């Protein structure tokens, strides 16, 4: 589904953050990308989602046969990519449902599908908000305004449930979540998993991986994936920290 | 005797028709104009709005007819009073059966009563030109303890080039009455024409007046309005001013609160593009205790447009327990647009709650990316954010038919959906 080859990316000021990253994600898989601060985890998420301010200097990203890097951010979403933000943005005056309706209509138009009826849309809102135990009232409130940290993260997964992406990238979705919210969010993500979609979990800590079981764990360091393993790798990282990998590689 | 025209104001009005009857108000205005000049940007109240090039031009006062169907608001179901180039056109107007109101020509306004009411209020050269040379308008009475059964729609049209429309209106809200005025301003083939309107009113005790003003004239006309209202005790006054039109707009709005327990509310939305200039100049003068006022103006400026907000609240020494809130927020959509915002509070009383604030910013780039990451195009994302920004001001327009009309205007003019 997603093939990243030798990806190099810099911030606009010129500093190279990603230095030859390779990653292959197939449908039905869950990949965890772990790494210390400054290793390039969030940059990877931003580059894949198409955020301004980054320059890809080398490499390619193929997303189900489409050259992802050639697409505008909105078209990446329309092709089925979803980024759950580390810091969801507050948007005063724009209601959650209004914005999602706009998004879904634009996505359906792009895919030459009919508009969703108001009835079906509302049914889906209800279903998706139940999934992450998000109060129905929050769905009609302004996007993330006055939401608690946990509500913001649940709102991200709510949106994911609405948009049903092929590939979801969850950027530090576990950060700032208490144990209850972590369970709710994780269960939501697990229910959305299928053999046709894939998830990339970007995380600092292993605790999220107790709830969402990854098929692969990658360690990102200094802009490259330096080690790949199964879910036991996450436990090892938790126990020994990141330094041992560098030492291991040095040997 | 040949009059020597070394006075710019007299030069400006020299071709205007001399009124047939000189009423007291006209006489006073004519006399006052003799010694006046147009304001320059050295005058503090006009610091950000330059009128020089507009008042150098000559305008004519000509009666015309207009295609009113182009401007009527669907489902508004209102008394519709039509003013073309400042002349009241009764044949184009529709006054419904309504025992709560009476509609008169402005000439029928009792000048003794009027002079008493507006005594001590400020005039400027434009309001005086209007009062000296007004060509028509209406005087509305909303009767004691009655509610007008329909909104009252003042429909103004500028028709033809280089004309000046000096319409003058007065709304008298008798004790305990309630009404809504919808004032709209339109233009047709009216390059270099000039709307110079005066709308005044008296809101007596326990009366309630709502005004929704929508100005969507073409971007080649000039619009100066002077709106003056006096509130008696326990009255309510609300005005929503929505401006999308005219090359140069100056909305002068003044409310004198002459009684306790009043509520005054002013909201404004202005959306400028190209080289439009939009100036909202407001004053709330609190003379008595226990009153509240709320003022919220929001601007979205694109292209090379310029927005101006100068809102002043005066709380006089005897006016205790006043709660006055004032806010002006602006978004610039282009690097070449600008806004001058000047909120002012002048407080002489010692027990008041007043706040004011002003912001000028751009659309939040992070918010745009957030929306785009959900599949919304950059253009739609910006539109959603603009709508979200200005929506709460538009929501103050409770009249659904008018609101629908405003939404259509925004969709047609800017491609914005609300």
């Amino acid at each position: 589904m997603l093939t990243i080859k030798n990806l190099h990316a810099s911030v606009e000021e010129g500093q190279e953050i990603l230095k030859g990253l390779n990653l292959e994600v197939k449908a039905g898989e869950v990949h965890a990308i772990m790494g210390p601060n400054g290793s390039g985890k969030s940059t990877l998420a931003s580059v894949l989602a198409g955020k301004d301010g980054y320059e890809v200097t080398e490499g390619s990203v193929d997303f189900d046969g489409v050259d992802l890097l050639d697409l505008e951010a909105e078209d990446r979403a329309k092709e089925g990519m979803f980024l759950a933000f580390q810091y969801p943005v507050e948007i005063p005056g724009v209601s959650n449902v209004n914005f999602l309706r706009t998004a879904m209509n634009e996505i359906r138009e792009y895919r030459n599908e009919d508009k969703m009826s108001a009835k079906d849309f509302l049914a889906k809102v209800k279903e998706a908000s139940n999934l992450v135990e998000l109060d129905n009232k929050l769905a009609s409130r302004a996007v993330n305004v006055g939401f608690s940290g946990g509500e913001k993260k649940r709102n991200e997964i709510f949106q994911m449930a609405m948009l049903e992406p092929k590939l979801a990238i969850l950027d530090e979705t576990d950060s700032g979540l208490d144990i209850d919210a972590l369970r709710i969010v994780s269960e939501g993500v697990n229910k959305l998993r299928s053999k046709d979609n894939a998830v990339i979990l970007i995380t600092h800590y292993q605790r999220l991986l107790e709830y969402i079981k990854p098929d692969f764990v990658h360690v990102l360091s200094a802009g490259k994936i330096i080690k790949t393993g199964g879910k036991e790798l996450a436990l090892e990282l938790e126990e020994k920290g990141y330094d041992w990998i560098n030492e291991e590689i040095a040997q | 005797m040949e009059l020597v025209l070394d006075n710019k104001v007299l030069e400006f009005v020299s071709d205007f028709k001399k009124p047939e009857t000189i009423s007291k108000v006209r006489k006073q205005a004519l006399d006052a104009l003799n010694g006046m000049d147009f304001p320059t940007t050295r005058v503090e109240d006009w610091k950000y709005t330059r009128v020089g090039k507009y008042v150098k031009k000559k305008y004519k006062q000509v009666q015309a007819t207009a295609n009113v169907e182009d401007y009527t608001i669907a489902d508004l179901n209102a008394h519709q009073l039509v003013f073309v180039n400042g002349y009241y056109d009764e044949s184009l107007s529709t006054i419904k059966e309504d025992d709560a109101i009476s509609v008169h020509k402005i000439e029928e306004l009792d000048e003794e009563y009027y002079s008493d009411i507006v005594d001590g209020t400020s005039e400027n050269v434009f309001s005086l030109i209007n009062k000296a040379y007004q060509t028509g308008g209406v005087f509305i009475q909303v009767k004691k303890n009655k509610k007008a059964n329909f909104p009252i729609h003042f429909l103004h049209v500028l028709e033809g080039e280089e004309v000046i429309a000096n319409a003058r209106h007065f709304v008298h809200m008798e004790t305990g009455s309630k009404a809504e005025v919808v004032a709209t301003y339109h233009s047709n083939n009216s390059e270099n024409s000039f709307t110079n309107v005066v709308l005044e009113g008296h809101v007596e005790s326990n009366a309630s007046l709502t005004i929704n003003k929508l100005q969507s004239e073409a971007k080649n006309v000039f619009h100066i309005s002077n709106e003056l209202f006096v509130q008696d005790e326990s009255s309510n006054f609300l005005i929503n001013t929505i401006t999308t039109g005219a090359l140069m707009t100056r909305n002068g709005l003044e409310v004198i609160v002459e009684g306790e327990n009043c509520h005054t509310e002013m909201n404004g939305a202005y959306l400028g593009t190209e080289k439009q200039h939009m100036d909202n100049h407001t004053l709330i003068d609190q003379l008595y205790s226990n009153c509240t006022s709320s003022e919220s103006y929001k601007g979205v400026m694109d292209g090379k447009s310029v927005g101006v907000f100068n809102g002043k609240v005066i709380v006089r020494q005897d006016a205790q327990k006043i709660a006055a809130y004032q806010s002006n927020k602006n978004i610039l959509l282009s690097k070449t647009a600008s806004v001058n915002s000047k909120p002012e509070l002048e407080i002489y009383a010692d027990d008041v709650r007043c706040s004011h604030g002003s912001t000028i910013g751009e659309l939040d780039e992070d918010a745009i990316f957030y929306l785009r990451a959900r599949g919304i195009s950059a253009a739609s994302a910006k539109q959603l954010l603009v709508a979200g920004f200005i929506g709460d001001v538009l929501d103050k327009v409770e009249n659904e038919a008018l609101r629908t009309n405003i939404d259509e205007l925004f969709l047609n003019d800017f491609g914005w959906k609300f």
Side-chain angles (χ1 to χ4, degrees):
Chain A
M1 179 184 285
L2 184 77
T3 309
I4 304 176
K5 282 189 184 149
N6 190 32
L7 186 65
H8 289 256
S10 312
V11 288
E12 272 178 352
E13 296 81 51
Q15 199 196 343
E16 193 175 60
I17 310 283
L18 300 180
K19 300 169 182 170
L21 187 142
N22 296 290
L23 182 67
E24 171 87 39
V25 178
K26 295 197 175 71
E29 294 177 349
V30 174
H31 290 244
I33 296 178
M34 303 184 73
N37 281 330
S39 58
K41 298 191 302 292
S42 282
T43 298
L44 175 63
S46 296
V47 168
L48 291 178
K51 191 174 183 183
D52 292 338
Y54 298 91
E55 198 189 341
V56 174
T57 50
E58 219 183 316
S60 66
V61 181
D62 179 282
F63 182 47
D64 256 358
V66 182
D67 179 359
L68 191 77
L69 300 175
D70 214 26
L71 298 177
E72 294 288 341
E74 54 267 37
D75 291 340
R76 298 180 192 196
K78 286 166 183 160
E79 289 289 342
M81 166 157 311
F82 179 89
L83 171 66
F85 282 61
Q86 182 178 4
Y87 304 110
V89 184
E90 296 190 8
I91 311 181
V94 178
S95 81
N96 246 336
V97 285
N98 189 19
F99 123 76
L100 279 171
R101 189 181 290 123
T102 308
M104 290 176 80
N105 285 339
E106 288 200 20
I107 290 170
R108 284 173 168 252
E109 199 182 321
Y110 181 88
R111 296 177 186 165
N112 290 320
E113 294 166 2
D114 287 339
K115 275 192 176 181
M116 203 175 204
S117 74
K119 186 166 162 263
D120 290 348
F121 177 78
L122 287 173
K124 202 165 169 60
V125 166
K126 202 171 170 198
E127 189 192 333
S129 47
N130 284 342
L131 182 77
V132 286
E133 299 178 30
L134 192 69
D135 193 326
N136 257 326
K137 284 189 216 91
L138 291 184
S140 54
R141 285 234 311 258
V143 181
N144 294 323
V145 177
F147 286 30
S148 70
E151 283 168 346
K152 281 180 183 167
K153 294 298 174 80
R154 276 192 272 165
N155 194 21
E156 295 295 290
I157 307 306
F158 163 70
Q159 292 172 29
M160 177 180 160
M162 291 295 291
L163 299 175
E164 297 176 333
K166 280 194 289 196
L167 174 67
I169 303 164
L170 312 187
D171 187 6
E172 306 268 2
T173 295
D174 53 330
S175 69
L177 289 184
D178 65 35
I179 193 80
D180 288 330
L182 183 66
R183 181 187 50 77
I184 292 166
V185 163
S186 306
E187 281 173 6
V189 173
N190 284 332
K191 282 180 197 152
L192 294 170
R193 287 177 65 175
S194 79
K195 63 177 177 35
D196 300 320
N197 61 28
V199 179
I200 298 176
L201 304 167
I202 292 176
T203 182
H204 218 82
Y205 304 105
Q206 184 267 340
R207 63 171 193 154
L208 176 68
L209 308 182
E210 287 174 13
Y211 294 89
I212 308 173
K213 298 274 187 274
D215 300 302
F216 299 94
V217 174
H218 309 276
V219 179
L220 187 63
S221 175
K224 277 184 179 174
I225 287 176
I226 55 168
K227 191 174 176 67
T228 294
K231 54 179 176 288
E232 66 287 348
L233 178 58
L235 288 168
E236 218 171 341
L237 283 169
E238 183 86 351
E239 202 180 312
K240 301 184 187 169
Y242 288 103
D243 289 340
W244 69 272
I245 298 179
N246 288 324
E247 286 160 19
E248 188 186 84
I249 289 166
Q251 284 164 16
Chain B
M1 199 183 85
E2 191 67 35
L3 186 67
V4 185
L5 298 174
D6 60 348
N7 176 312
K8 285 182 201 139
V9 177
L10 297 183
E11 168 70 24
F12 183 81
V13 301
S14 60
D15 294 344
F16 293 177
K17 288 185 190 86
K18 293 285 173 289
E20 285 159 24
T21 54
I22 307 279
S23 68
K24 198 172 126 195
V25 172
R26 277 197 199 270
K27 174 86 170 60
Q28 283 170 345
L30 282 165
D31 288 348
L33 283 176
N34 272 316
M36 289 195 91
D37 201 351
F38 289 108
T40 67
T41 51
R42 286 187 297 277
V43 177
E44 189 61 29
D45 278 355
W46 294 84
K47 193 173 173 183
Y48 303 107
T49 297
R50 200 175 283 276
V51 294
K53 67 179 170 195
Y54 307 115
V55 296
K56 266 187 209 133
K57 293 191 165 83
K58 296 291 273 180
Y59 304 89
K60 44 192 191 287
Q61 293 185 307
V62 280
Q63 232 168 324
T65 188
N67 198 0
V68 176
E69 291 75 42
D70 292 349
Y71 314 113
T72 48
I73 296 171
D75 304 321
L76 187 64
N77 197 20
H79 301 291
Q80 183 172 279
L81 308 170
V82 178
F83 311 92
V84 184
N85 292 348
Y87 292 84
Y88 177 32
D89 193 326
E90 287 182 87
S91 68
L92 294 175
S93 300
T94 319
I95 300 170
K96 295 170 178 281
E97 187 74 32
D98 193 340
D99 63 351
I101 75 160
S102 58
V103 179
H104 314 270
K105 291 178 185 167
I106 190 68
E107 287 77 19
E108 292 167 33
L109 175 63
D110 179 346
E111 294 208 332
E112 292 297 323
Y113 157 78
Y114 171 78
S115 301
D116 232 29
I117 290 302
V118 298
D119 185 36
T121 57
S122 57
E123 296 277 6
N124 60 50
V125 64
F126 296 103
S127 64
L128 289 167
I129 288 173
N130 174 287
K131 285 176 186 174
Y133 295 97
Q134 55 94 350
T135 46
V138 287
F139 160 46
I140 308 279
Q141 273 176 301
V142 183
K143 291 174 186 159
K144 189 174 171 180
N145 294 332
K146 298 252 181 170
K147 181 185 170 202
N149 290 304
F150 307 95
I152 304 157
H153 184 185
F154 293 1
L155 194 162
H156 303 82
V157 186
L158 277 175
E159 186 74 44
E161 296 176 4
E162 292 166 8
V163 300
I164 187 164
N166 285 309
R168 180 186 166 211
H169 311 298
F170 192 93
V171 178
H172 181 187
M173 303 294 299
E174 293 183 354
T175 305
S177 65
K178 186 175 164 95
E180 177 188 1
V181 168
V182 176
T184 60
Y185 296 85
H186 318 270
S187 66
N188 182 39
N189 295 327
S190 53
E191 191 161 1
N192 291 325
S193 286
F194 194 153
T195 292
N196 181 39
V197 67
V198 169
L199 170 59
E200 292 171 304
H202 180 203
V203 187
E204 289 187 1
S205 58
N206 292 307
S208 178
L209 174 62
T210 295
I211 298 177
N212 287 307
K213 176 181 174 180
L214 175 60
Q215 192 256 101
S216 57
E217 292 164 339
K219 295 182 186 75
N220 55 14
V221 308
F222 323 119
H223 181 105
I224 293 185
S225 64
N226 279 286
E227 287 147 356
L228 169 74
F229 295 88
V230 174
Q231 282 185 259
D232 292 350
E233 66 168 310
S234 302
S235 65
N236 283 292
F237 175 78
L238 161 65
I239 185 165
N240 300 310
T241 304
I242 294 158
T243 308
T244 64
L247 180 60
M248 191 279 291
T249 298
R250 162 81 166 202
N251 295 318
L253 172 60
E254 192 173 326
V255 176
I256 318 290
V257 186
E258 289 191 346
E260 289 199 26
N261 199 32
C262 288
H263 182 64
T264 310
E265 191 170 335
M266 297 175 174
N267 304 300
Y270 44 100
L271 298 100
T273 58
E274 297 171 29
K275 288 183 172 178
Q276 286 182 291
H277 181 103
M278 295 174 173
D279 179 354
N280 282 290
H281 195 88
T282 69
L283 172 69
I284 300 174
D285 196 350
Q286 302 279 9
L287 282 85
Y288 286 81
S289 298
N290 299 311
C291 292
T292 54
S293 68
S294 164
E295 186 171 7
S296 171
Y297 276 75
K298 284 188 174 181
V300 179
M301 309 307 282
D302 202 353
K304 292 182 175 172
S305 65
V306 178
V308 179
F309 174 80
N310 187 185
K312 188 190 251 186
V313 178
I314 305 176
V315 182
R316 304 281 173 183
Q317 199 164 5
D318 295 334
Q320 302 294 352
K321 310 269 183 205
I322 296 288
Y325 165 82
Q326 190 193 60
S327 152
N328 174 231
K329 292 182 178 170
N330 300 279
I331 283 183
L332 305 180
L333 293 181
S334 80
K335 297 277 177 226
T336 45
S338 64
V339 168
N340 300 291
S341 180
K342 194 177 165 209
E344 288 178 83
L345 285 174
E346 233 179 87
I347 303 172
Y348 301 99
D350 49 25
D351 183 11
V352 300
R353 266 190 301 134
C354 294
S355 70
H356 64 175
S358 164
T359 59
I360 302 170
E362 297 172 11
L363 288 179
D364 181 353
E365 286 297 329
D366 288 339
I368 292 173
F369 176 64
Y370 189 81
L371 296 174
R372 289 177 65 201
R374 298 295 176 255
I376 295 172
S377 69
S380 301
K382 285 179 185 171
Q383 185 231 298
L384 269 175
L385 293 177
V386 167
F389 171 73
I390 212 152
D392 62 341
V393 173
L394 299 182
D395 288 345
K396 301 286 183 178
V397 177
E398 288 181 359
N399 186 316
E400 281 178 27
L402 179 62
R403 178 60 202 266
T404 303
N405 185 267
I406 292 167
D407 288 350
E408 281 168 13
L409 172 78
F410 282 8
L411 184 62
N412 294 336
D413 267 26
F414 306 99
W416 290 342
K417 260 184 302 202
F418 285 79

